[in-house]
Amino acid sequence: MMNMARQQMDERMLWIRGTIFHHGFICALCVLLANMLVHGFYGHWAPEFHENLLMIGLLTFVVSAEMIVRGVYLIDPFQQRVLLGTLGAAGLILLVLNLWHIFAQQMPLLEGGGLSQTGANFLLGLLYTAIPVLQLVFRRIHALRDAAEEAEED
């Protein structure tokens, strides 16, 4: 299945994806350095497990967002629907559950000078929900641009 998608990509798209993964690697190094500096000078900014999840979520968002903006996210529409649907569903579940914790159970977003477990899960939900929303926005922008180009040709 991956070979089919790779065959449908031209050299320019593969080069763009490689550049994006390079940016993602540099971003990962910067995030790890920032995390190390915060730990050294301040301590934990979220529960330990959630720090790692948030760093992974941030890197997933950054790489996915750049791929969406540059139009090389996934070529196969079925793969896009499955991946974006899964990310969106997971993000919405996290958002709804944590909004309920925040408003109904009065659980704080911040505690002890850093994010609480609820706050970390809420941010993770925002990151994962933002990816499919960004894809929908850019798909709509491209559709409007294509319609405008067709109208100009007529």
Side-chain angles (χ1 to χ4, degrees), residues 62-134:
V62 167
V63 169
S64 296
E66 188 174 355
M67 283 188 176
I68 289 168
V69 168
R70 296 184 70 182
V72 294
Y73 193 58
L74 290 172
I75 299 302
D76 183 24
F78 177 74
Q79 287 179 340
Q80 275 192 7
R81 285 193 300 271
V82 169
L83 180 62
L84 293 173
T86 304
L87 282 173
L92 280 176
I93 289 169
L94 280 170
L95 280 176
V96 168
L97 287 175
N98 287 290
L99 283 173
W100 181 74
H101 283 286
I102 292 166
F103 292 112
Q105 296 184 340
Q106 301 297 314
M107 296 183 87
L109 284 173
L110 303 171
E111 63 184 9
L115 283 173
S116 67
Q117 182 175 348
T118 302
N121 285 333
F122 180 75
L123 284 179
L124 194 60
L126 280 175
L127 288 170
Y128 283 155
T129 304
I131 295 169
V133 168
L134 187 64

Side-chain angles (χ1 to χ4, degrees), residues 1-148:
M1 176 78 72
M2 186 64 150
N3 288 336
M4 271 180 43
R6 189 166 280 217
Q7 290 171 355
Q8 293 174 353
M9 289 187 175
D10 60 12
E11 290 180 27
R12 181 192 63 84
M13 293 174 86
L14 290 172
W15 180 81
I16 290 171
R17 285 175 67 103
T19 302
I20 292 169
F21 283 118
H22 175 76
H23 294 163
F25 180 73
I26 299 298
C27 185
L29 291 176
C30 291
V31 167
L32 289 172
L33 178 64
N35 187 47
M36 181 185 70
L37 290 172
V38 169
H39 274 251
F41 292 112
Y42 180 73
H44 290 287
W45 51 274
E48 286 184 52
F49 179 70
H50 288 85
E51 284 180 355
N52 298 329
L53 282 178
L54 283 168
M55 287 188 293
I56 291 169
L58 177 65
L59 294 172
T60 301
F61 174 76
V62 167
V63 169
S64 296
E66 188 174 355
M67 283 188 176
I68 289 168
V69 168
R70 296 184 70 182
V72 294
Y73 193 58
L74 290 172
I75 299 302
D76 183 24
F78 177 74
Q79 287 179 340
Q80 275 192 7
R81 285 193 300 271
V82 169
L83 180 62
L84 293 173
T86 304
L87 282 173
L92 280 176
I93 289 169
L94 280 170
L95 280 176
V96 168
L97 287 175
N98 287 290
L99 283 173
W100 181 74
H101 283 286
I102 292 166
F103 292 112
Q105 296 184 340
Q106 301 297 314
M107 296 183 87
L109 284 173
L110 303 171
E111 63 184 9
L115 283 173
S116 67
Q117 182 175 348
T118 302
N121 285 333
F122 180 75
L123 284 179
L124 194 60
L126 280 175
L127 288 170
Y128 283 155
T129 304
I131 295 169
V133 168
L134 187 64
Q135 174 69 9
L136 290 172
V137 167
F138 270 86
R139 187 180 298 160
R140 182 68 180 150
I141 288 171
H142 290 299
L144 290 172
R145 186 182 316 148
D146 292 344

